[in-house]
Each structure stands twice: as C-alpha cells, then as structure tokens.
Amino acid sequence: MDTPETVAFDVGGKLFRVSRNLIEQYSDTMLGKIASETWQRGSSAVVFIDRDGDLFAHVLNYLRYGSIVLPVLISREMFDREMDYYGIITDVNTHTIKQESSFHALELVKNKLEDAELEHDMFLIAVHAYHKFMTGKRLCFFNEDSNIGLCRNPCVHSSNRRLNAKQILKDNLKAYYGIDAWSITFSQAKRTSLFGDRSPGPPFGVNLHLANPAERPNANLIKSGLLKKGEWYCICTTKNPVGSNKCLACETAKPAQLA
C-alpha cells in the first residue's frame, strides 16, 4: 500500500493538511511520531489534537521556515508552551523567534483604517460629482462645508496616498458612471470654518473637471481651425496659450488629456 504524502491534523476544530516531507524533518517530535504511526497503519484518518488551532498554525510556520515573527496578541510564553507540547526543541537564545512590536501592529491597523476611509471618501465624492454632472456642471468643487459625509480631510493624507486617492476617484467615476475626470486637485481652501471632530487638519478643497468620454471640445476646435495646436480652452471658457499648464483666469490645471 502506498504511503500517503500528507497527514491531516484536526487541532481544536481546525483542519491542517501537512506534507510528509515536512513532518519527516521533525521525526523526533510528537507530530512526527503521530504521523509515522498513522502512515504505518496505512490510514488516512484525520488525527485529532486537543490544542489551540490558531497557535498550531504558527507552530507549523516555524517548522516550514525555521523562524517566525509572532503577532502582538500571541505572547512568547504561549508559543513556547505549544512548542514544548509538540516536542519541538528551540534554543532559548535563538533569534529565530521574534515578537511583533505593538507599535508595528498599531501602524498596520492605522494604515488599513486610513485605506478603508480613503476608499469610502473617494466613492462618496464620485457619487456627489455625478449628481452635479447630471445637472450640467463640469467643474465641481467640494470642501469641508459640503457635508457629504467624508471620514477624513483628504489633505491630511501623505502625498503618495493622495495620488492613490485621485486614481481611485477617477476609476470610480469611470467604472460606475462612465465619466472622465480630466483633472482632480486636492488643495487647501481659503475658508475659516472647521472640518469637524473626525476630520482633523486644515480646511480643504477638492476640484474636479468632468466630461463625457465623447466630449473633446478642444480637439474639435483645433480641427475646425478655431484653436492652434497647443492652445486650449478652460472650463471657464478662457482661451489659454501654447505651453500654459494652468488657466490664466482661474488657475485650473490643464486637463491631462490635452497635455
């Protein structure tokens, strides 16, 4: 009878299937002996172990990689207790078992929370921008007094996260409403009102220049000879010269499609 290539452990109600190759590297441990007995019987039955399944997952990872960084909620004492139970010997002075710092864990949670808030806020801005677009507006502006339910002032995010926010907002407008965002700008608005308790930071402004994909007025004007190549019209109807990257009148950035 062929020897199975894996052994299945039910540890505290959680199922783990482990390769024979890994277990045989630790033949002197409790796990190795249990697996050997199971294979000798030619059995493929699941082996039940009355221990914590979550901790067992970390024990397996240690066996696989030879080192581990324990999450902040799992103490070194808890892990050592499980290792002793399974008969896995480690050097107390080894650096292969490390503890994740609480600061690092909090940073990860903070970053995930900010990412979720960013997704939420950019979706809300896209929804409200669409409503304005449907009333004929192509230049939209939102600030701390717009009361659209934002979690956070966009200007307090890092520069990389703000770039990501612009792409998320642009993708939302395109995916859900078929609208192009020719330009998106986050800026400090010249206002004196406070944003609110959940949105720290200075007052802000979000500017969007929107258009249907089929709307290419500047390209049409160039074809008709009303504009020279490189000249462009802003949404405020100002004609801007070749080489200008901002509107001479309202300072709106030149749409990326025209660059």
Side-chain angles (χ1 to χ4, degrees):
M1 182 179 294
D2 293 338
T3 303
E5 292 302 314
T6 61
V7 62
F9 296 105
D10 177 351
V11 184
K14 293 190 174 184
L15 184 63
F16 299 87
R17 191 169 293 279
V18 187
S19 71
R20 178 180 179 181
N21 181 58
L22 178 64
I23 291 297
E24 286 183 340
Q25 294 178 46
Y26 300 92
S27 57
D28 292 336
T29 67
M30 184 190 108
L31 295 175
K33 293 174 182 177
I34 291 176
S36 178
E37 292 173 1
T38 302
W39 289 327
Q40 286 177 8
R41 294 196 303 267
S43 173
S44 59
V46 176
V47 178
F48 177 74
I49 301 177
D50 191 12
R51 302 293 287 187
D52 189 303
D54 292 331
L55 290 173
F56 184 69
H58 294 291
V59 171
L60 279 183
N61 281 335
Y62 178 83
L63 298 182
R64 289 180 179 124
Y65 308 119
S67 63
I68 193 169
V69 177
L70 297 173
V72 68
L73 295 179
I74 296 179
S75 69
R76 176 66 186 269
E77 290 76 12
M78 292 171 63
F79 184 72
D80 286 345
R81 182 183 62 200
E82 295 304 299
M83 296 285 276
D84 288 343
Y85 177 82
Y86 294 113
I88 302 169
I89 301 173
T90 60
D91 185 348
V92 294
N93 297 317
T94 185
H95 296 292
T96 59
I97 303 175
K98 297 180 180 180
Q99 186 79 49
E100 181 183 60
S101 70
S102 57
F103 175 79
H104 178 66
L106 288 174
E107 279 295 303
L108 290 177
V109 172
K110 177 176 175 289
N111 287 333
K112 288 183 179 180
L113 177 60
E114 289 186 3
D115 287 341
E117 289 180 339
L118 193 67
E119 294 273 358
H120 169 271
D121 289 351
M122 294 308 105
F123 179 75
L124 282 182
I125 291 176
V127 170
H128 288 274
Y130 169 71
H131 290 164
K132 290 192 174 187
F133 180 85
M134 294 304 291
T135 64
K137 295 182 179 180
R138 295 297 184 266
L139 189 62
C140 302
F141 176 74
F142 301 95
N143 60 27
E144 71 277 10
D145 291 334
S146 297
N147 295 322
I148 60 175
L150 301 186
C151 293
R152 187 180 291 266
N153 178 341
C155 293
V156 304
H157 291 296
S158 66
S159 57
N160 287 337
R161 191 171 260 120
R162 286 199 301 273
L163 287 174
N164 187 40
K166 291 180 181 180
Q167 189 60 51
I168 293 172
L169 179 51
K170 186 174 183 178
D171 291 345
N172 284 340
L173 287 165
K174 186 71 172 179
Y176 296 115
Y177 305 114
I179 299 173
D180 280 343
W182 285 11
S183 67
I184 299 173
T185 305
F186 296 140
S187 61
Q188 303 297 336
K190 296 179 180 180
R191 305 180 68 87
T192 57
S193 58
L194 296 177
F195 188 74
D197 293 339
R198 291 198 64 225
S199 302
F204 74 96
V206 180
N207 295 276
L208 297 94
H209 183 173
L210 307 174
N212 281 322
E215 290 180 345
R216 295 289 185 268
N218 287 277
N220 294 336
L221 290 170
I222 290 173
K223 288 180 180 179
S224 66
L226 297 175
L227 274 180
K228 295 179 181 179
K229 188 174 182 180
E231 293 180 334
W232 57 283
Y233 271 108
C234 179
I235 193 70
C236 72
T237 72
T238 298
K239 182 178 178 180
N240 294 282
V242 177
S244 59
N245 293 318
K246 288 186 178 181
C247 176
L248 299 178
C250 67
E251 294 190 347
T252 296
K254 184 178 182 180
Q257 288 84 345
L258 302 179

